[in-house]
Amino acid sequence: MTKEKYNVAVVGATGAVGTRMLEQLYASKIPYDKVVALASARSVGKKVSFGSAELTVEELTEDSFEDIDIALFSAGGSVSKKFAPYAVKAGAVVVDNTSYFRQNPNVPLVVPEVNAHALDAHNGIIACPNCSTIQMMLPLEAVRRVYGLKRVIVSTYQAIGGAGQQAMLEADRELREVLNDGVKPTDLHADILPCKGDKKHFPIAYNALAQIDVFTDNDYTYEEMKMTHETKKIMEDESIAVSATCVRIPVLIGHSESVYIETEKVAPIDDVKRLIAEFPGTVLQDDVANQVYPQAIEAVGKRETFVGRIRRDLDVENGIHMWVVADNLLKGAAWNSVQIAESLIERDQVHATTEMKFELI
Ligand code: NAP
Ligand code: 3JN
């Protein structure tokens, strides 16, 4: 039943995404009462900004959710695996920004402009897709609704911010060592990128790394396979062919993507532009005569997804290329999560779950 005000918890409140979740929550339409900032024991007592106020960070425990209505999780998959079921048990609805529950059949995977209807079947946990998937979904859905979608080939140019606060600090240090101390990029030392916990690490300064997340058995990375599986789930169509190449570049915030699609019916380019311009959450920036196209630096801090360079493939009649840019920490994570919470309220779907579908460990 719709309430007048909601108690909201943010798990991972000190992180790159969590701090932005608090910022987006403050600026949202959600009528909140209590807002709780949760993180690890390391951060207890630290202050995080919430509008002009400050919240004191509390330690995440199994008992953190007793009077919470909405819990936004962004502290990594293992934290969601352990603690999200306790939030559900306590009566909260979880919006989880990690990959842990994304392919669980009991969990809707939602980009509100595309499939908000999926929220109505939730069982206490809703998953927010990967940032690279989210921004691609908007223009693709705009075109798919009219012309159908058979195939997607995407190459990403992903910002360092997607890998968390520590990766941004590593990049900052590397760039300073090159610019201030004259260190050669090949002599830089790296501890985090391309992927924390993998066997080797490489500098990102003046570099492009064709690895995001670890490699899977089929020689694609997990990040690439997330784009494949998540697209099919969100669009509820296993037949759409999706292949991705995900690349990290030395940009701090703002993912860019070169997206090639093949539609079922041939789509006139002017109509594709019109459909994308009219689709909620997208902004068309496509005027090559005046050098207008999306740029990462201009997307920073914005909730929208920017689309341009829309053009027909030179050889394939139903093939279209486009350039898609968004703030990966906002539409790609924090804003999409808060937007899901807004949509849950609008659809009167903030309620305790009666049948527990998730394991308490
Ligand atoms: P980050 O900057 O490294 O922040 C990690 C946050 O998680 C911090 O608040 C940290 O708290 C907290 N945390 C870590 N271990 C914890 C524990 N055991 N208990 C409670 N809190 C814990 O990382 P980030 O970039 O914000 O990303 C966080 C997660 O969000 C990622 O692991 C990923 O699953 C997800 N994410 C999703 C997308 C997307 O594409 N939708 C994009 C980026 C990230 P302390 O400060 O106390 O350590
Ligand atoms: O690297 C990026 O640009 C996006 C990173 C997303 C990410 C980072 C660590 C763990 C994820 C994610 O959302 O898929 C995860 C994860 O939860 O698996």
Side-chain angles (χ1 to χ4, degrees):
M1 208 203 306
T2 314
K3 293 173 73 170
E4 273 183 23
K5 289 194 170 176
Y6 297 86
N7 291 338
V8 184
V10 174
V11 179
T14 54
V17 176
T19 50
R20 284 165 178 87
M21 279 176 163
L22 287 167
E23 169 202 291
Q24 293 299 308
L25 176 63
Y26 184 79
S28 75
K29 291 189 270 187
I30 297 172
Y32 51 81
D33 190 359
K34 187 171 74 165
V35 176
V36 186
L38 300 167
S40 78
R42 295 179 290 273
S43 298
V44 172
K46 277 189 190 165
K47 305 283 184 197
V48 285
S49 299
F50 185 62
S52 55
E54 281 189 330
L55 303 176
T56 304
V57 176
E58 299 172 31
E59 183 181 358
L60 170 68
T61 71
E62 292 164 8
D63 302 323
S64 297
F65 304 100
E66 284 319 318
D67 55 355
I68 297 297
D69 302 297
I70 300 169
L72 307 175
F73 272 69
S74 192
S78 58
V79 173
S80 294
K81 175 185 178 182
K82 167 91 171 72
F83 291 97
Y86 285 95
V88 176
K89 185 173 169 243
V93 182
V94 170
V95 181
D96 182 31
N97 191 46
T98 80
S99 63
Y100 186 74
F101 291 103
R102 286 185 196 146
Q103 295 306 322
N104 184 321
N106 290 314
V107 174
L109 182 63
V110 174
V111 179
E113 294 89 342
V114 175
N115 65 336
H117 62 89
L119 293 172
D120 300 346
H122 83 76
N123 296 290
I125 300 180
I126 294 102
C128 175
N130 180 270
C131 43
S132 303
T133 313
I134 294 174
Q135 69 183 67
M136 184 174 82
M137 285 302 91
L138 279 74
L140 264 51
E141 180 65 6
V143 178
R144 183 176 85 116
R145 284 184 189 171
V146 179
Y147 294 102
L149 183 62
K150 283 176 27 181
R151 171 159 215 202
V152 183
I153 299 175
V154 52
S155 297
T156 70
Y157 303 68
Q158 293 182 224
I160 299 157
Q165 305 271 36
Q166 294 304 318
M168 286 195 271
L169 292 173
E170 177 169 87
D172 191 59
R173 194 244 318 139
E174 288 176 4
L175 287 164
R176 279 175 206 283
E177 283 181 18
V178 175
L179 290 170
N180 299 345
D181 308 335
V183 177
K184 270 170 53 187
T186 45
D187 290 339
L188 287 165
H189 174 78
D191 290 309
I192 298 174
L193 292 171
C195 178
K196 204 174 169 182
D198 208 347
K199 297 179 288 297
K200 292 185 191 169
H201 300 287
F202 308 117
I204 186 67
Y206 297 89
N207 207 359
L209 295 171
Q211 179 191 353
I212 298 182
D213 212 328
V214 291
F215 285 94
T216 73
D217 289 344
N218 67 4
D219 292 351
Y220 285 76
T221 63
Y222 273 102
E223 183 82 352
E224 290 161 355
M225 293 314 297
K226 283 172 192 172
M227 295 192 80
T228 299
H229 297 310
E230 293 176 16
T231 299
K232 291 169 192 268
K233 178 163 176 175
I234 295 162
M235 294 189 159
E236 295 169 29
D237 185 350
E238 286 296 315
S239 74
I240 301 171
V242 185
S243 293
T245 303
C246 292
V247 180
R248 186 80 66 196
I249 59 162
V251 160
L252 275 189
I253 300 177
H255 285 0
S256 303
E257 300 180 344
S258 170
V259 186
Y260 168 74
I261 60 170
E262 288 174 9
T263 50
E264 271 161 19
K265 290 179 275 180
V266 174
I269 291 298
D270 282 350
D271 204 35
V272 169
K273 290 184 183 177
R274 177 188 66 80
L275 289 167
I276 289 172
E278 289 175 0
F279 199 75
T282 58
V283 174
L284 182 72
Q285 290 184 325
D286 197 329
D287 178 6
V288 288
N290 291 301
Q291 286 176 279
V292 173
Y293 46 81
Q295 296 180 34
I297 53 171
E298 305 221 331
V300 177
K302 313 256 172 62
R303 289 174 166 178
E304 294 84 3
T305 295
F306 301 88
V307 190
R309 298 294 321 274
I310 300 170
R311 61 212 189 275
R312 183 169 304 293
D313 187 78
L314 293 175
D315 302 296
V316 179
E317 202 189 8
N318 62 339
I320 299 165
H321 298 267
M322 62 182 82
W323 182 244
V324 182
V325 177
D327 183 325
N328 54 299
L329 296 175
L330 294 188
K331 184 56 183 165
W335 165 237
N336 199 66
S337 298
V338 171
Q339 192 186 13
I340 288 172
E342 277 189 354
S343 305
L344 284 164
I345 294 171
E346 276 162 25
R347 301 175 87 87
D348 201 9
Q349 290 295 342
V350 181
H351 54 71
T353 298
T354 45
E355 195 190 344
M356 184 64 177
K357 305 240 179 175
F358 308 103
E359 195 188 354
L360 292 161
I361 48 173

